[in-house]
Amino acid sequence: RLFDAMLETAALTKIAAWLLSNQILNLHCADVLITYLVCHKLDALSLPDSPQTILILRLFHLIFSALSKYHDIELAIRPHAAELVQVCLKGAQSSADPSAHIRVLRYIFRSFHHTKIDSLYREFAPLLPEAVTTLLALLDAPDE
């Protein structure tokens, strides 16, 4: 319900931003948000201009930005990191407009680079060859 309310009233995303910036609540908020987004909303990324996708991107941005400030959020992200990367790579390959999938990957890459959390690196390292291959294939693909 909160997601739908955020679609109707964009200012409600400030609640998520506040919860993610609250040192006591940020882990729980990040866990609920990333679990919901990964389990229920990733398919919406194939329509990058839709209000739903814009909200999803905003929420992922908030989560991964919070990770750079509060490293304990890594505990909420780690179980979903591999699935999120794989879904975004597949979506980028199959979508007519892969921009939303690529933006999520960008958020992930940047936050992992800035935080330098070893457990996230270990989770992510096996996915790098596939990620590089997919992204290079997208670069080599003909423009439509």
Side-chain angles (χ1 to χ4, degrees):
R1 286 186 180 222
L2 182 59
F3 185 86
D4 294 331
M6 286 182 191
L7 277 174
E8 294 174 17
T9 309
L12 289 177
T13 58
K14 291 181 183 186
I15 294 172
W18 181 83
L19 290 170
L20 287 167
S21 67
N22 182 306
Q23 198 162 10
I24 296 170
L25 300 173
N26 61 15
L27 175 60
H28 303 292
C29 179
D31 186 31
V32 168
L33 278 175
I34 199 158
T35 300
Y36 178 75
L37 293 173
V38 169
C39 293
H40 302 289
K41 295 297 179 184
L42 288 182
D43 56 335
L45 293 176
S46 58
L47 301 169
D49 295 327
S50 74
Q52 188 174 22
T53 300
I54 292 167
L55 176 58
I56 293 166
L57 290 173
R58 175 78 177 128
L59 293 173
F60 274 126
H61 179 71
L62 289 172
I63 293 166
F64 287 109
S65 296
L67 177 63
S68 64
K69 295 176 190 159
Y70 306 103
H71 292 213
D72 61 326
I73 291 176
E74 173 258 341
L75 297 172
I77 292 173
R78 189 178 346 134
H80 303 287
E83 179 184 1
L84 183 56
V85 169
Q86 290 171 337
V87 168
C88 286
L89 288 171
K90 287 180 181 140
Q93 287 177 312
S94 63
S95 179
D97 184 352
S99 61
H101 294 95
I102 292 172
R103 281 184 66 185
V104 173
L105 289 170
R106 179 177 174 249
Y107 297 152
I108 295 168
F109 293 150
R110 290 186 91 183
S111 70
F112 287 8
H113 172 71
H114 290 298
T115 58
K116 298 183 181 5
I117 298 173
D118 288 338
S119 60
L120 283 176
Y121 273 132
R122 283 191 299 272
E123 186 81 27
F124 187 67
L127 302 172
L128 281 176
E130 179 186 357
V132 170
T133 302
T134 300
L135 294 172
L136 288 173
L138 287 171
L139 281 173
D140 289 340
D143 292 337
E144 294 180 17

